[in-house]
Amino acid sequence: MKKLLSILASIGLLTHSISIVSSCGKENDQSQETNTVPSDVNKIEKIEDQTMYEAKTKIVVVRSQVIIKDAEISAISENEGALSVSVSNAIDSESKGFFEVTLKAKTIVDTNVKVKYGDFESSFNVKVLGAKHDEPSTNELLDSNVQLNSSTPEQVIFANPVKDANYEVIVVDKDLVSIENAISKDSSGNGEVTFRINGLKLGKTKILINYEYSQVSLYVTVVEKYGFPFLSDYEKKVTIIKSTEDNQNTITKYITVNNPISNGELELSTNVTESLLPFKVEKVVEDLKFVIFKINITSGYKKEQDVVVNLKYMNKINETLLVDIIDEHTIKLDVEQTLPIEVSEGRHKLIKLDVTDRFKNAKINVVNENASTGNIDAFAMNDYDTDTNEALTIVVYGLKVSKENVIEYSYNGIKFEIKINIIVDSTKKPSISGIKYNDVIKLNTNSGTYYGIYIDNPLTNEIISVSYDNENLKGKFSASVEGHNGASYYNLLLVSGKDEVNDDAKIKVTLKYKNADDLSFFVTISSKKA
């Protein structure tokens, strides 16, 4: 939308047919609920521009300094085909003065998002980067508790860390909790984001952790009083590969005891001693309000399911942890695929894998060993195995004709090598759609509109172009396309001036794409509103 306005301004025109959407939220106790808004109030707080990865979701919190009861809330993406948006609630029925905008990136794009809260409007830019196999990511986070008028530490560890990456911790409802050390930098490059949560008011809210261009969320509940010692939420079931004579497998978990007893110790025990080797327990953080224990669990030499580990703390806490001991994973291609995999140049292919003994939230990674050659690109559909009933899939893009390209797939640390040949595609040619051939598009004067243009069978290094009688139509009409090389979707922007163009002098516009038939259509301009 920003681009549309700038184009109109550059040719001295006004526009009357542009849709925008906006929203807002509450900043602090100085916010006020009202149905009438002073004209001198800066209604919506500044929304920072966002950067995120392709095929990922990100939440942006929008706040207003003025709260309007039952204000209508909405959001719209300038390029819905590349970036879709949704809001947490359509009406501010609870007079909160803030709301969440969820961004879902479909493809690489630079675009703009408009938000609206009542009659207040604002916008921010979104840059979507191409997906990478080594994006910073973290496992699904568990809920956390904090006592009213107290604080508790929290640590989130990102895999694939980035040295000196900026990170920020954002609270959705600032009335409930506040954050210490909310903005910092990962100067050590270890992926650790450490902060403290202060409980201000009873209730439950969401915390957003932005690290580099990735995001993860955490729910926090403020409780009135801890009372007796209790454990923070922890993963109730874990999986470990059985040990061998040559290799012992160990996993590390952290258990937090709230409202601890002085010199209290956490004891672990099990009756299945042949399945689990002796535990190692270490107190790594000790505070008056909490204690964190680090536990190492080492598997035995026998496969076993649902081994019960007892967690006991000073006769005050008796909890359990279930452990599955599994055989080492075996990874193979889906039955319909064989090595080497063939991928056509300028196209992509989905590679499906069969993995034995899958378990929820197992770490998945893909390494493109030929990344420096520019022959192929590859990434996993998920960084963690969040649904063991869904197929495990790798997306491979063929960039240049080549042989013996190698990608390495790993599941829970077990690796599998896949060889890829990029071949010349001699099958289908690209085609352009979205507007009918020789169709007549009628524009009003001083207006602009977008059309979605689709490319079937796109080529990796190609981009659509548009042509028309540019010299004779300066200041009267313009046409431009937005998108990137290899995209299957583009935005076509048509902008009219103040002069009419009737049927006898209609403007011919032609869309061109390599190896595709040209798509031509016509434009007329009228001062009469349709």
Side-chain angles (χ1 to χ4, degrees), residues 2-72:
K2 183 181 293 183
K3 187 168 184 178
L4 171 59
L5 294 173
S6 65
I7 292 173
L8 294 176
S10 69
I11 59 176
L13 304 177
L14 298 175
T15 179
H16 306 291
S17 61
I18 300 170
S19 301
I20 44 182
V21 189
S22 50
S23 55
C24 52
K26 174 175 66 175
E27 166 63 24
N28 52 39
D29 293 336
Q30 296 177 349
S31 299
Q32 49 186 324
E33 183 179 333
T34 182
N35 287 318
T36 61
V37 183
S39 59
D40 60 343
V41 174
N42 183 16
K43 285 84 177 182
I44 295 182
E45 293 182 12
K46 176 178 171 58
I47 308 170
E48 297 296 332
D49 293 340
Q50 304 293 316
T51 303
M52 60 189 298
Y53 286 111
E54 183 181 21
K56 290 296 188 289
T57 298
K58 189 174 187 179
I59 295 173
V60 176
V61 183
V62 181
R63 307 182 192 276
S64 174
Q65 294 183 9
V66 177
I67 301 171
I68 301 177
K69 182 174 176 56
D70 294 328
E72 293 186 0

Side-chain angles (χ1 to χ4, degrees), residues 243-291:
S243 294
T244 64
E245 292 183 1
D246 298 326
N247 183 45
Q248 286 189 346
N249 289 306
T250 300
I251 57 174
T252 300
K253 295 294 174 183
Y254 293 89
I255 301 292
T256 301
V257 178
N258 298 282
N259 197 26
I261 297 172
S262 179
N263 299 318
E265 296 294 336
L266 180 68
E267 299 177 7
L268 275 66
S269 63
T270 181
N271 293 327
V272 191
T273 55
E274 67 273 18
S275 296
L276 293 175
L277 301 180
F279 307 106
K280 181 180 179 181
V281 183
E282 179 185 0
K283 189 183 297 183
V284 292
V285 177
E286 188 166 13
D287 187 271
L288 291 176
K289 298 171 182 176
F290 64 90
V291 175

Side-chain angles (χ1 to χ4, degrees), residues 117-394:
Y117 176 91
D119 293 329
F120 305 161
E121 299 179 354
S122 187
S123 66
F124 58 96
N125 297 318
V126 180
K127 183 181 184 66
V128 178
L129 306 176
K132 300 193 305 180
H133 70 272
D134 58 351
E135 298 168 10
S137 61
T138 186
N139 208 337
E140 181 180 356
L141 297 182
L142 300 169
D143 291 356
S144 181
N145 293 327
V146 59
Q147 185 170 304
L148 183 65
N149 299 322
S150 183
S151 68
T152 188
E154 191 71 42
Q155 183 182 63
V156 178
I157 300 177
F158 283 81
N160 304 318
V162 178
K163 184 172 175 56
D164 293 327
N166 293 318
Y167 65 79
E168 181 178 12
V169 183
I170 300 170
V171 178
V172 174
D173 191 340
K174 293 183 177 181
D175 283 348
L176 300 185
V177 300
S178 64
I179 301 297
E180 296 178 28
N181 193 34
I183 301 176
S184 191
K185 178 181 291 188
D186 184 9
S187 56
S188 62
N190 58 13
E192 294 182 2
V193 177
T194 303
F195 53 96
R196 295 187 73 92
I197 307 173
N198 302 312
L200 306 178
K201 181 180 177 182
L202 297 180
K204 185 175 183 177
T205 188
K206 186 187 296 181
I207 288 177
L208 308 173
I209 301 101
N210 293 328
Y211 179 94
E212 198 233 15
Y213 306 129
S214 298
Q215 185 185 80
V216 67
S217 60
L218 167 72
Y219 282 97
V220 175
T221 301
V222 182
V223 297
E224 186 165 7
K225 190 176 182 181
Y226 287 149
F228 291 104
F230 70 94
L231 301 184
S232 294
D233 286 343
Y234 64 96
E235 200 172 0
K236 299 296 193 293
K237 188 170 186 176
V238 297
T239 302
I240 185 172
I241 297 172
K242 73 178 183 182
S243 294
T244 64
E245 292 183 1
D246 298 326
N247 183 45
Q248 286 189 346
N249 289 306
T250 300
I251 57 174
T252 300
K253 295 294 174 183
Y254 293 89
I255 301 292
T256 301
V257 178
N258 298 282
N259 197 26
I261 297 172
S262 179
N263 299 318
E265 296 294 336
L266 180 68
E267 299 177 7
L268 275 66
S269 63
T270 181
N271 293 327
V272 191
T273 55
E274 67 273 18
S275 296
L276 293 175
L277 301 180
F279 307 106
K280 181 180 179 181
V281 183
E282 179 185 0
K283 189 183 297 183
V284 292
V285 177
E286 188 166 13
D287 187 271
L288 291 176
K289 298 171 182 176
F290 64 90
V291 175
I292 300 177
F293 292 94
K294 174 184 175 182
I295 60 174
N296 288 334
I297 303 173
T298 302
S299 62
Y301 308 105
K302 178 184 177 182
K303 182 178 178 179
E304 191 88 23
Q305 279 193 322
D306 293 336
V307 177
V308 177
V309 176
N310 301 300
L311 307 177
K312 185 177 179 180
Y313 181 79
M314 304 300 290
N315 295 319
K316 299 294 184 181
I317 298 175
N318 286 284
E319 299 284 352
T320 58
L321 171 71
L322 295 180
V323 181
D324 281 350
I325 299 100
I326 62 175
D327 288 323
E328 184 171 279
H329 307 287
T330 59
I331 305 174
K332 62 182 180 180
L333 292 174
D334 184 82
V335 291
E336 298 179 355
Q337 297 174 310
T338 56
L339 291 174
I341 300 291
E342 291 189 342
V343 181
S344 297
E345 183 185 25
R347 307 193 187 283
H348 73 274
K349 177 172 283 189
L350 302 181
I351 300 177
K352 295 185 178 180
L353 299 166
D354 286 331
V355 178
T356 59
D357 291 305
R358 290 173 60 181
F359 64 93
K360 186 175 176 62
N361 293 326
K363 180 74 175 79
I364 296 171
N365 194 32
V366 171
V367 177
N368 177 8
E369 297 188 357
N370 296 87
S372 61
T373 65
N375 293 336
I376 66 171
D377 191 16
F379 60 89
M381 292 294 286
N382 296 293
D383 297 324
Y384 294 89
D385 192 357
T386 54
D387 187 347
T388 56
N389 294 316
E390 288 189 357
L392 296 171
T393 305
I394 304 173

